[in-house]
Amino acid sequence: MDSVGRHSAGGREVAALFAGTRLGLFVIALIAVRYFPLNSYNRDHNAAFAVPVVAGDRWREPPVAADQAAPPQSKHAEPSWIRVWAHWDALWYARVAELGYAGRFDVDDLTGEHREPPATCYYPLMPLLMRGLSPILGSPLRAALVISNLSLIAALWLLVGLTRRLVGDDAAAIGAALLLVYPPGFFLSAPYAEALGLALALGVARCVVERRFWAAGSLGFLAALARPSGVFLAVLIAVEWWSAWRERPGRARLGAALAGVLPLLGLAAYLFYCWRVFGDPLAPLHCQQTGRGPLGWPPGPIRELSAGPISLMATRRSVVELVAVGLFVVLTALGFRYLPLGFATYGLVAILVPLATSLFSFSRVSMAAFPVFLTAAALLRRRPAVTLGVCAFLALLLGVFAVLFFTWNWIG
């Protein structure tokens, strides 16, 4: 098969897997909320926002318990097949999109040491896009679902291209397939900023490979406004600029080194906003510290694991998160063999910084370390039977994790 044929076949495989997994997730969501037990304690203690269900809908989530403060309510009612995605952080993004960052409500019981507004954990690009598209799509939540899934499509396209360029044609579809069936990968279709941040990060990587450093820096600026991990892209840009300058100084102009500063400026812009509005320029960092834990020594995971026994899917002493740590650490280390230095270094920073605070949600936030999917594709590219088995096993776990998410049993 010629190169064009291989490219088309790989694209069709990824498109079919995208359609199958995303449709499956929407079906799983409806089945989960109707036939599986709801963890009402988790729901009541994490109800930052309330999204009502349209009148006459067959499924209605029970009201928040009487002993819990009622959350602020969206003015947009949703059908159940959309409403079921409004769990955990999705409620915060919807709340920021509708109400903004300012203000506290009685439901905001997780009080930070610095009294920072709790919503500042959620970086502004996603809620701004949600608010902007809401008049067109009908509500911020619907806008978020569209943004996430379009971002995922863009991320898959970019990942296939990067894999083909850095690893080889025979690996092109593997990294994208692994991303789609990665068990916490349903967050890439949820009303979260994960897919948006990932698409922007992969856009930075594409521009870096093509030695378009100012374009990479501009996308990095946006990525730093989408997710906390976006600022780490400064490392990718800087290291790859240095590598290009050493190889061929003519291809990397000296001034282009400044492009690596743009992701830092993206974060600085958000911190400046928090200083002007709330008087606390570090509000997002304080909020992250309240939720994930502080940077310190010994690292957070060591403190957490020494505090008590581990369990399968606990928030902080979780077997699932430990397995994810082991997998990502190994693949990140192998990345220094298979990938350019800037990619491997970025991947290392993107997993070490979260690990310095906590195991909390590591399996989700580590998706920002996209080089691990490139490395996994390099390892599996000549092992089709193994690849098929791995994807089938991960797809099964994807369904299980999604059920736990939709029933408020796992925050991810």
Side-chain angles (χ1 to χ4, degrees):
M1 185 181 293
D2 61 18
S3 176
V4 174
R6 286 195 301 270
H7 292 187
S8 298
R12 287 194 297 269
E13 291 170 3
V14 173
L17 191 57
F18 168 83
T21 55
R22 302 309 109 172
L23 177 61
L25 287 172
F26 274 86
V27 172
I28 286 172
L30 292 175
I31 293 174
V33 297
R34 282 182 168 87
Y35 300 110
F36 286 80
L38 178 76
N39 189 324
S40 58
Y41 178 87
N42 280 346
R43 191 276 313 274
D44 292 346
H45 285 76
N46 291 276
F49 201 52
V51 179
V53 178
V54 294
D57 198 292
R58 289 179 58 195
W59 171 76
R60 288 178 178 274
E61 192 168 277
V64 174
D67 62 341
Q68 296 295 313
Q73 181 164 296
S74 171
K75 58 186 177 182
H76 300 280
E78 303 286 5
S80 58
W81 65 274
I82 291 178
R83 168 64 182 82
V84 294
W85 289 86
H87 287 181
W88 306 104
D89 290 4
L91 294 171
W92 282 100
Y93 282 112
R95 171 171 150 177
V96 175
E98 288 198 39
L99 304 179
Y101 284 105
R104 273 187 179 274
F105 297 88
D106 290 339
V107 71
D108 300 334
D109 57 356
L110 187 62
T111 302
E113 178 183 351
H114 301 272
R115 300 295 300 174
E116 69 279 354
T120 52
C121 280
Y122 304 92
Y123 282 43
L125 185 58
M126 183 67 169
L128 280 173
L129 292 174
M130 291 166 64
R131 179 177 290 187
L133 291 174
S134 178
I136 300 171
L137 297 173
S139 73
L141 187 61
R142 298 179 195 187
L145 287 169
V146 171
I147 292 166
S148 289
N149 284 281
L150 289 179
S151 296
L152 177 55
I153 291 171
L156 292 169
W157 177 72
L158 290 164
L159 185 58
V160 168
L162 279 172
T163 309
R164 181 174 289 122
R165 186 159 183 169
L166 299 179
V167 182
D169 284 345
D170 53 352
I174 298 176
L178 292 173
L179 179 64
L180 282 170
V181 298
Y182 177 60
F186 62 85
F187 286 109
L188 298 172
S189 288
Y192 279 54
E194 261 69 14
L196 177 62
L198 182 60
L200 289 168
L202 285 162
V204 170
R206 171 72 173 266
C207 292
V208 161
V209 166
E210 296 172 351
R211 299 317 192 208
R212 295 187 292 127
F213 291 104
W214 282 110
S218 299
L219 290 175
F221 180 92
L222 294 175
L225 291 172
R227 292 286 298 143
S229 57
V231 72
F232 305 149
L233 292 164
V235 175
L236 171 60
I237 297 170
V239 174
E240 283 301 299
W241 175 89
W242 179 76
S243 297
W245 184 80
R246 286 190 63 192
E247 293 168 6
R248 291 177 59 186
R251 290 190 66 195
R253 296 180 182 276
L254 192 60
L258 297 176
V261 178
L262 291 177
L264 303 176
L265 293 180
L267 175 61
Y270 183 37
L271 299 183
F272 178 76
Y273 165 82
C274 290
W275 172 62
R276 292 298 304 269
V277 175
F278 309 120
D280 181 7
L282 301 180
L285 308 183
H286 292 153
C287 190
Q288 291 286 333
Q289 177 177 314
T290 300
R292 291 192 56 83
L295 288 166
W297 188 261
I302 295 178
R303 296 194 301 269
E304 291 168 352
L305 293 173
S306 63
I310 64 174
S311 60
L312 183 61
M313 303 190 80
T315 302
R316 297 183 184 274
R317 293 187 294 277
S318 166
V319 173
V320 167
E321 304 302 337
L322 283 173
V323 170
V325 169
L327 182 65
F328 273 74
V329 167
V330 169
L331 289 173
T332 298
L334 290 172
F336 284 91
R337 174 182 175 184
Y338 290 101
L339 303 177
L341 180 61
F343 284 72
T345 305
Y346 163 76
L348 182 64
V349 173
I351 67 166
L352 286 184
V353 173
L355 273 181
T357 59
S358 174
L359 287 175
F360 183 42
S361 295
F362 176 83
S363 60
R364 171 169 60 87
V365 300
S366 59
M367 285 191 291
F370 65 85
V372 302
F373 296 98
L374 295 168
T375 303
L379 293 171
L380 294 171
R381 60 181 171 173
R382 293 186 178 92
R383 299 175 175 87
V386 175
T387 302
L388 183 60
V390 168
C391 287
F393 176 69
L394 292 179
L396 176 63
L397 291 181
L398 172 67
V400 173
F401 283 28
V403 168
L404 294 171
F405 169 82
F406 291 123
T407 56
W408 290 95
N409 282 288
W410 186 59
I411 188 171

